[in-house]
Structure formats: structure tokens, C-alpha cells
Amino acid sequence: MTTVYKITKPDLTTYQGFQWVVGQEHRFSGKGDLCGPGFAHAYMSPELAVLLNPVHASYDPFILWRAEGVVAKEDHGLKVGCTSLTLLEPAPTPMMTTEQRVRFGMLCALAV
């Protein structure tokens, strides 16, 4: 198991109303594309989760969770797809300045 970070809505739901339960392991098939039902999306750092929330989920408000997962797929270091994921506890949400967000966006654009 790897420590990962997951963002949910305050009611612990995500895409298409998937309901998460803290401490409960959720398993996924690992089949298909990363952005499909075969994987649970997560991030390798709380900073990436916060920076990418506006383009991946756009939950506002949200809860950032420290979780344990089995990472089976990666998206060029941006997000990961897990075949098993367990929410453990809320994680402190890193505060990002406008300058940090702009620099991150510029670096992403240069990497394309």
C-alpha cells in the first residue's frame, strides 16, 4: 500500500455520486482508461491534489484525505489510478498562493 491523497465533496462523494466510507477499502477492476470506472483517482502529494482539483474534479468545497492505495496506473506524474483505496483521515489542505498556481500552470504548459 502507498500513501496517496484523495479529494471528495463534503458528503464523501465523488464522480457520479460514488460514496466513500472512511476506513473502508474500496476495490476497482483496474481495467480500461485511467479516467474510467476501473480506477479510483488519487494524487501522490496533497499539493498536487489541491492544484489539480480545479481541472480534474472542481469540488468546492472539498475535503482532502490521506489514504492508502494500490497504485496501478499513472498519468505522467499528475494523478494515479488505484485498484484499491482506503480513506484514512482528513489531511491538512496546503494553501497555495496565486504565484505558486501560476508557476505550476506555466510549468505544465512547458511540459506539453
Side-chain angles (χ1 to χ4, degrees):
M1 293 292 235
T2 301
T3 297
V4 295
Y5 296 87
K6 176 79 179 160
I7 287 182
T8 70
K9 296 176 187 174
D11 64 359
L12 294 160
T13 61
T14 53
Y15 185 68
Q16 293 187 337
F18 186 91
Q19 183 67 57
W20 292 88
V21 177
V22 177
Q24 179 180 329
E25 179 184 19
H26 295 273
R27 293 178 181 252
F28 302 86
S29 70
K31 295 182 179 172
D33 294 328
L34 181 59
C35 291
F39 297 95
H41 292 170
Y43 301 89
M44 296 304 294
S45 76
E47 293 83 6
L48 274 176
V50 169
L51 285 166
L52 292 172
N53 176 47
V55 293
H56 286 172
S58 197
Y59 298 151
D60 183 22
F62 66 84
I63 301 173
L64 177 65
W65 295 92
R66 187 175 70 81
E68 285 187 341
V70 175
V71 176
K73 241 181 194 182
E74 290 187 37
D75 181 19
H76 307 288
L78 295 178
K79 65 183 171 188
V80 296
C82 296
T83 54
S84 171
L85 190 70
T86 303
L87 300 181
L88 299 176
E89 63 187 356
T93 302
M95 301 309 298
M96 310 304 268
T97 66
T98 300
E99 181 179 343
Q100 289 170 317
R101 290 177 185 276
V102 169
R103 284 179 185 238
F104 179 75
M106 291 170 64
L107 290 169
C108 287
L110 290 171
V112 177

